[in-house]
Amino acid sequence: MASSRSVDPGQLRAAVLAVSAWLQGDAPDPARPELAAAVRLSLRTLAADAPGRTVEVRVPPFAAVQCVDGPRHTRGTPPNVIETDPRTWLELATGRLDWATAVADGRVSASGTRADLSHWLPLIRL
């Protein structure tokens, strides 16, 4: 049985397609609800693909998830934190940007020994 947190692949694809032209630089900024849906569904997909509570991935202002198997974090700021903006996150999630480049360019803040999502990215290819 599917978890209440699982993501329908068709729903994820539709949400990301709705902002795809913007990611390519061919359209103006998407409406906030469209952008929020794409970010939230892709983060939930990451959490389903890499279950655990070792790494917290934050994409303000829309969502944060805990993922990656390993030592469980229970209080305060997690030791492994990844934070980025919505555009960068969606570029990573769709394979338009690779992990190493995003970190090297300062588009992703990644702290902690397990704060590396390169194994799970991209989440979707359009």
Side-chain angles (χ1 to χ4, degrees):
M1 179 190 318
S3 156
S4 63
R5 302 291 298 162
S6 65
V7 175
D8 176 293
Q11 191 179 20
L12 171 63
R13 186 173 217 44
V16 174
L17 278 172
V19 299
S20 183
W22 169 70
L23 289 173
Q24 294 171 12
D26 297 334
D29 290 352
R32 184 177 170 92
E34 289 177 334
L35 184 56
V39 168
R40 289 177 182 143
L41 288 170
S42 58
L43 281 173
R44 282 180 40 207
T45 299
L46 172 66
D49 289 352
R53 306 197 96 188
T54 300
V55 178
E56 185 166 290
V57 181
R58 301 171 181 168
V59 182
F62 298 117
V65 296
Q66 289 186 352
C67 57
V68 182
D69 192 29
R72 184 175 177 183
H73 161 73
T74 57
R75 300 190 90 147
T77 301
N80 300 285
V81 176
I82 295 167
E83 187 165 331
T84 191
D85 62 277
R87 180 182 206 105
T88 300
W89 169 248
L90 291 171
E91 288 175 350
L92 288 165
T94 59
R96 287 184 171 95
L97 177 64
D98 71 89
W99 180 259
T101 301
V103 172
D105 290 350
R107 295 180 64 189
V108 170
S109 169
S111 64
T113 58
R114 294 178 180 258
D116 181 347
L117 299 179
S118 58
H119 177 75
W120 294 280
L121 296 172
L123 298 169
I124 182 173
R125 291 217 187 252
L126 301 178

